[in-house]
Amino acid sequence: MHRATAIAHPNIAFIKYWGHADAALHVPANPSISMVLDCLQTRTTVDFRVLRKDEVIIDGITASPAARTRVSEHLDRVRALAGSDLRARVRSESNFAVGAGLASSASAFAALTLAATTALGLDLPLQQLSALARLGSGSACRSIPGGFVEWMVHPDRSATARSIAPPEHWALCDCIALVSTRHKKVSSIRGHEAAPSSPLHTARVRDATLQAPACRQAIERRNLAALGRIAERDAVMMHAVAMTSAPPIYYWTAETMRVVRAVIEWREAGLPVYYTIDAGPNIHCLCEAAHRDEVQRRLASLPGVEQVLVACPGGGAQLADDHVS
Ligand code: DP6
């Protein structure tokens, strides 16, 4: 039996990965820090058999040729490690919109990596599993460990992700205001490639590297004001880099800006809430558990907000209870 099922969650970065030091190995230009999002998840079953080619079904639909190739290339890495030439049937399901800037590639490649390695009998240590997931999608390396995770870049240009605090360390909430769940027009792959063409890129990479220790400390001390300031600034800088790249990439819409302004107003009026935005128009609003319901209610009442998802710190990638069937 060469079959296994794994579950992984996406993550939201407070300091973003945007641009590479080594594109082929998905080594980022700067360290990043994120939180695993518990209630969003991807569940992936990998079943290796004698087939002519890999078959990939995502959310019940046969994957596009480009998506299938990306999955197959990742399976090739696992096959090479295990010394196998079996092809696989891959079935992946997410409980949230894929490709809408909710880091679906992170949960997808984290779950795929754990399921595929287990199915071929490999029992990799966490660090190796995370490094392998990174080759599928950079941010996936931050969805292998649980809780609050730092993805470090080392002087020899290697990169590793490790948990800096478990999920129960801090009841931080991410209230995600969905203003669009359509598939994003420009993939983050193109964004990473284009980043160095922005004159702001070098300055952001330097700033993100300098801010990483303060971000880690804010998490360790459960200091939302410090974390929020760092997260908002880096999100705006990442998008400033995207908007000034060649060609320019605009992920924000009018609705994005409306939510950003509302969050700033609420905060000025005393509600401790901060925002960050990934490679899409949706807004992640960070607050503590005590203010979660209020933030969710206010976001839901804003025009243009279709839905509000609420996530707390989640665990790392895991095999499903019924993982071999
Ligand atoms: C904006 O991990 O999706 O979410 O390595 O090309 O798969 P690839 O990129 P990806 O980039 C994530 C970009 C981001 C910021 C972040 O999560 O750090």
Side-chain angles (χ1 to χ4, degrees):
M1 189 82 71
H2 296 294
R3 178 187 158 111
T5 300
I7 293 171
H9 306 281
N11 60 75
I12 180 67
F14 308 127
I15 291 183
K16 310 285 186 195
Y17 147 51
W18 199 249
H20 297 120
D22 183 327
L25 295 178
H26 286 194
V27 174
N30 60 270
S32 56
I33 298 185
S34 59
M35 171 177 114
V36 172
L37 302 175
D38 69 342
C39 66
L40 309 185
Q41 68 168 49
T42 301
R43 180 188 172 97
T44 301
T45 300
V46 182
D47 189 357
F48 284 97
R49 314 163 157 237
V50 182
L51 294 169
R52 213 170 44 81
K53 57 179 186 144
D54 296 318
E55 295 171 8
V56 182
I57 311 268
I58 300 174
D59 291 329
I61 297 168
T62 302
S64 66
R68 195 185 68 81
T69 302
R70 196 168 168 195
V71 169
S72 263
E73 284 174 0
H74 198 56
L75 292 174
D76 286 344
R77 297 180 185 110
V78 180
R79 281 187 278 257
L81 275 177
S84 167
D85 57 7
L86 291 172
R87 304 287 115 181
R89 229 166 243 169
V90 177
R91 182 175 289 270
S92 179
E93 265 157 33
S94 296
N95 66 352
F96 61 98
V98 166
L102 295 180
S104 52
S105 66
S107 53
F109 279 94
L112 179 69
T113 305
L114 181 57
T117 51
T118 306
L120 286 183
L122 297 168
D123 182 14
L124 301 182
L126 200 79
Q127 275 300 325
Q128 209 182 332
L129 204 59
S130 170
L132 184 58
R134 189 190 85 218
L135 299 177
S137 172
S139 56
C141 73
R142 296 189 314 235
S143 282
I144 295 284
F148 299 83
V149 176
E150 180 167 21
W151 181 9
M152 292 166 297
V153 188
H154 306 291
D156 65 354
R157 278 190 149 199
S158 62
T160 48
R162 63 169 184 120
S163 177
I164 50 177
E168 55 280 7
H169 167 71
W170 190 11
L172 187 67
C173 300
D174 179 9
C175 299
I176 311 165
L178 298 180
V179 294
S180 168
T181 48
R182 276 185 314 210
H183 211 281
K184 64 189 174 218
K185 287 203 194 85
V186 184
S187 70
S188 33
I189 302 176
R190 294 237 331 262
H192 294 300
E193 280 167 8
S197 66
S198 164
L200 308 182
H201 174 65
T202 313
R204 193 200 76 85
V205 167
R206 193 183 314 118
D207 191 70
T209 307
L210 281 173
Q211 292 298 322
C215 183
R216 191 188 320 123
Q217 194 179 71
I219 291 169
E220 281 160 4
R221 296 183 178 173
R222 302 184 192 91
N223 183 339
L224 177 63
L227 178 67
R229 271 195 303 272
I230 293 168
E232 284 192 359
R233 195 166 99 145
D234 189 59
V236 174
M237 285 203 284
M238 180 208 116
H239 285 271
V241 169
M243 290 183 216
T244 50
S245 292
I249 309 168
Y250 290 86
Y251 289 111
W252 294 18
T253 62
E255 287 73 30
T256 310
M257 203 55 222
R258 188 184 291 131
V259 177
V260 164
R261 284 192 189 285
V263 167
I264 294 169
E265 268 172 33
W266 298 339
R267 188 166 68 238
E268 283 170 358
L271 184 68
V273 54
Y274 295 81
Y275 71 88
T276 182
I277 304 165
D278 270 353
N282 301 313
I283 306 92
H284 293 252
C285 300
L286 308 169
C287 64
E288 291 187 287
H291 299 111
R292 180 189 55 202
D293 293 350
E294 180 65 14
V295 170
Q296 184 179 12
R297 194 186 58 73
R298 290 194 195 191
L299 287 171
S301 73
L302 290 176
V305 173
E306 295 171 11
Q307 199 187 343
V308 183
L309 305 174
V310 180
C312 305
Q318 278 188 344
L319 292 170
D321 292 341
D322 55 342
H323 80 94
V324 183
S325 52

